[in-house]
Amino acid sequence: LLSVCLSQLTQVVHRQSTWKGLTAAVAAGHLRSAGVSNFNVRQMEELVEEGQGYTPAPVANNQFQYNPWAPDWKHDCVAYCQKHNIAVTAWSSLAGTTMQSAKAFTVETIKAIADKNSISVAQVLLRWAVQKGLVVIPGTSNPKHMAENLAVYSFELSSSDMSAIDALSSDPIAK
């Protein structure tokens, strides 16, 4: 138990000392802003807590995997970031691994929304994230998919579509 506590303390100290260095780089004008990747709410709070002997730079961005099936802590993290004006960059918005992404294309709720709007399942998922206010990193080298990805700015999902997709996070069939 003591080694686990010391290990976690060491991780906190490392994160905080790294953030102190990034804060110095921002203050010196070497960086405009600094962000993190795959941090949860607690880890972001540790970076900017008072009493560290300096004024920490604000966290500008948190990049992590995000899609309708993300675990609750990631949904909480999006809410925290948005409340504190921290941009969220979502990668793997189609669900993660190749197997998970393939499964996303079989979810009836998403297929129905795609059919109703005459768009692809991928466009539904990308637009969902964009409408949630996230920066999305779609990954493809396929020119057809690149064009589809850019087209997500030419339409909006209805509030009922958004709610239906949001509900998938607790749908065991869709997971």
Side-chain angles (χ1 to χ4, degrees):
L1 181 63
L2 180 60
S3 67
V4 169
C5 290
L6 288 175
S7 172
Q8 288 177 344
L9 177 62
T10 302
Q11 292 173 11
V12 171
V13 169
H14 285 302
R15 282 192 294 269
Q16 288 176 333
S17 64
T18 299
W19 197 253
K20 184 175 183 179
L22 288 169
T23 294
V26 170
H30 300 300
L31 301 173
R32 282 188 233 156
S33 59
V36 296
S37 182
N38 299 311
F39 273 45
N40 61 36
V41 171
R42 178 187 49 80
Q43 291 168 325
M44 285 188 292
E45 288 174 337
E46 290 168 356
L47 296 182
V48 296
E49 68 187 23
E50 298 298 320
Q52 296 184 58
Y54 73 103
T55 303
V59 177
N61 186 282
N62 189 7
Q63 176 180 314
F64 53 92
Q65 181 182 5
Y66 189 71
N67 53 61
W69 303 275
D72 288 343
W73 74 265
K74 289 186 180 184
H75 293 286
D76 295 343
C77 198
V78 167
Y80 175 88
C81 288
Q82 290 178 333
K83 179 180 177 185
H84 291 89
N85 296 316
I86 300 168
V88 174
T89 301
W91 58 268
S92 199
S93 49
L94 300 185
T97 67
T98 303
M99 291 291 285
Q100 291 167 327
S101 292
K103 186 176 180 185
F105 288 87
T106 66
V107 175
E108 288 303 321
T109 300
I110 299 202
K111 286 173 39 179
I113 292 169
D115 290 344
K116 177 180 82 172
N117 292 291
S118 300
I119 56 178
S120 71
V121 166
Q123 286 176 307
V124 170
L125 292 170
L126 292 173
R127 185 63 203 182
W128 171 82
V130 167
Q131 276 184 233
K132 289 182 108 27
L134 309 181
V135 178
V136 181
I137 303 175
T140 186
S141 59
N142 180 320
K144 178 183 180 249
H145 294 162
M146 288 178 197
E148 280 186 359
N149 292 346
L150 289 172
V152 302
Y153 297 101
S154 65
F155 65 89
E156 285 192 19
L157 298 174
S158 69
S159 59
S160 62
D161 290 342
M162 292 294 289
S163 295
I165 297 166
D166 288 340
L168 293 173
S169 68
S170 59
D171 182 349
I173 295 172
K175 282 190 173 190

